Amino acid sequence: IVKYFRSKAALEGSKTVQADLAAAGIQTKDDHHEQTERLSNKQLFIQNIDYALDLFLIYVLTLSIFPGFLYENTEHKLGTWYSLVLIASYNVWDLMSRYLPLVKFLKIESRKGLTIAILSRFLLIPAFYFTAKYGDQGWMILLVSFLGLTNGHLTVCVMTAAPKGYKGPEQNALGNILVLCLLIGIFAGVSLDWLWLIGKKNAF
């Protein structure tokens, strides 16, 4: 599979992939007449700025909530196991949700639909805040599971929808751009995680 897609990208003009194939001893047709200029990284970013922003917002929200809310006083009846149950719930649902787009009617392909779904996740911030203060462990486990479910599902939907319609080299470049935005979102989310400590005694 890797050989097929790398060969396809090389035939569509990817010079870096051609170098990888040459290093691996794989021969490709060097027909420059068939190769066309690909869009620049700047053009790809501008054309897909909504997808880039979507990925950034997904991980800003997720990492600003999880696992920062664990510093809240949410120990209820499960005691010291409570944090482990929450972390497990998040990771299990995040993993399972990454396969949901395989079901066609569950896959979100509309650009506007993806943006609306991702922006609506910000309602989870007040939901977590009030649940940590007034709710019981059942509601918190449900919220954490929903956070993981939407995180994995929306990430895959964005990553699979964005490259459609582009040639191999452009898909490679766009993938790198989107992963960069995802990493920036993770960093920003982790940086905002400390906000959960505001107002807590002995937090610092």
Side-chain angles (χ1 to χ4, degrees), residues 7-124:
S7 299
K8 181 175 180 292
L11 291 172
E12 290 175 347
S14 177
K15 295 179 180 178
T16 55
V17 173
Q18 283 178 342
D20 291 338
L21 292 174
I26 300 171
Q27 299 295 324
T28 60
K29 295 179 182 178
D30 190 14
D31 189 354
H32 294 284
H33 297 293
E34 294 182 4
Q35 296 176 4
T36 58
E37 289 288 327
R38 79 165 182 85
L39 295 173
S40 67
N41 291 344
K42 183 179 179 181
Q43 289 172 315
L44 286 170
F45 178 74
I46 291 171
Q47 289 183 10
N48 296 277
I49 194 166
D50 55 332
Y51 287 131
L53 188 61
D54 285 346
L55 280 175
F56 173 79
L57 292 176
I58 287 172
Y59 284 88
V60 161
L61 177 72
T62 299
L63 273 298
S64 64
I65 291 176
F66 185 88
F69 70 91
L70 293 179
Y71 287 103
E72 290 287 338
N73 184 18
T74 54
E75 287 186 3
H76 303 296
K77 298 176 183 177
L78 295 176
T80 55
W81 284 95
Y82 187 50
S83 296
L84 292 175
V85 171
L86 292 175
I87 292 170
S89 298
Y90 170 84
N91 284 303
V92 167
W93 282 101
D94 180 62
L95 176 63
M96 291 195 301
S97 66
R98 293 176 187 273
Y99 293 92
L100 290 180
L102 291 173
V103 182
K104 191 166 185 178
F105 74 90
L106 292 176
K107 186 177 182 181
I108 306 172
E109 296 183 294
S110 165
R111 296 176 85 138
K112 186 181 288 186
L114 279 169
T115 302
I116 291 171
I118 289 163
L119 290 176
S120 65
R121 291 178 81 232
F122 279 84
L123 293 172
L124 288 170

